[in-house]
Amino acid sequence: MSASFQPVLDRIAREIEATPGRGRPADYIPALAAADPNRFGMAVAELDGTVHGVGEWQQPFSTQSITKVFTLALALAREDDELWEHVGREPSGNPFNSLVQLEYEHGIPRNPFINAGALVVTDRLQTLTGDASGTLRAFLRAESGNPDLTFDPDVAASEAAHGDRNAALAHFMASYGNITSPVPELLDQYIRQCSIEASCADLALAAGFLARHGIRADGSTLLSRSRAKQVNAVMLTCGTYDAAGDFAHRVGLPGKSGVGGGIIAVVPGHCTVCVWSPGLDERGNSVAGVAALDRFTTLTGLSIF
């Protein structure tokens, strides 16, 4: 199959180039608002670390919510099922920054990928490690092989200046005893986490453990096969905000998007894919990214269904 990845990627890039209407970049984070929606990159990483790419596949971009997959895996690796006492596994059906469900569900977020759930996971990782964002960065550097991968201070500052909703979520959950870190410390860790810059190649490589059923690039075990299955399952049902059903219908893979325009997707036992294009649809997912992954699974036949 690997010999066919590059022609498939080249074909997808040509089709995307000819497609009008790429959406709009995230404008509620000023540091992301000026991004060109016509930019595009895509990479496929095989299980052995071989990477194929097209377009701007080596261009770093703001990972944003994609990092939630990695913090979830790192927290699960350290505390197993105890994590699920603090966050659920169900699709929310509401926008990623919604406060609506928290009150009548007693401060327990629906899943780890909405903002409230991601704050809980980052809080757990902070409690376990003392430096959640640093632990995440070290993991991404090791798995991607990129020692320069790091935080973007401009994006972090921009998010900090417009983070009232996340602060409200964190304080509200703290009132129910579901946040243990001081809220300002948690928000700093969460913002740093979301500000990490990485390329399609970096992220495809870093997510490889999910295609290898929990095995890291160096052959060590991060997650059991069952735990890796759990992460992939939550990605499938909750990974693209309130468009997860449409994404599963079109793409047929576990995926996680970010408002920086990136999406990672996993083909268990085969490969991982990352695509980036900053133009978003009304639900916060990359327009060209979803279209490219749709074409990828159609052209290769690689899907979990």
Side-chain angles (χ1 to χ4, degrees), residues 107-192:
I108 305 294
R110 276 288 179 95
N111 67 70
F113 296 151
I114 56 175
N115 284 16
L119 284 162
V120 168
V121 174
T122 298
D123 176 61
R124 302 302 299 169
L125 190 59
Q126 178 69 10
T127 300
L128 292 161
T129 67
D131 184 6
S133 61
T135 299
L136 170 65
R137 179 175 65 176
F139 177 81
L140 293 175
R141 285 177 169 179
E143 298 305 291
S144 68
N146 178 5
D148 298 322
L149 186 153
T150 194
F151 313 105
D152 182 330
D154 293 334
V155 170
S158 184
E159 293 198 57
H162 297 80
D164 290 340
R165 179 65 68 96
N166 286 333
L169 291 167
H171 281 293
F172 192 80
M173 291 185 294
S175 76
Y176 281 96
N178 201 25
I179 295 292
T180 58
S181 305
V183 169
E185 176 185 295
L186 170 59
L187 292 172
D188 179 65
Q189 289 288 326
Y190 180 73
I191 288 166
R192 282 167 61 80

Side-chain angles (χ1 to χ4, degrees), residues 182-221:
V183 169
E185 176 185 295
L186 170 59
L187 292 172
D188 179 65
Q189 289 288 326
Y190 180 73
I191 288 166
R192 282 167 61 80
Q193 165 191 320
C194 291
S195 77
I196 285 177
E197 277 200 324
S199 68
C200 291
D202 293 332
L203 291 171
L205 287 167
F209 72 96
L210 291 170
R212 293 188 293 267
H213 308 297
I215 305 301
R216 295 185 59 169
D218 64 4
S220 64
T221 299

Side-chain angles (χ1 to χ4, degrees), residues 214-280:
I215 305 301
R216 295 185 59 169
D218 64 4
S220 64
T221 299
L222 176 69
L223 299 174
S224 68
R225 189 182 184 100
S226 176
R227 291 269 180 258
K229 177 195 72 176
Q230 290 175 359
V231 175
N232 280 324
V234 178
M235 287 173 68
L236 180 71
T237 57
C238 309
T240 46
Y241 310 122
D242 53 338
D246 184 61
F247 185 83
H249 175 81
R250 290 186 62 184
V251 176
L253 294 175
K256 182 71 196 84
S257 60
V259 296
I263 308 174
I264 58 170
V266 181
V267 188
H270 289 277
C271 62
T272 49
V273 188
C274 182
V275 62
W276 169 63
S277 186
L280 310 180

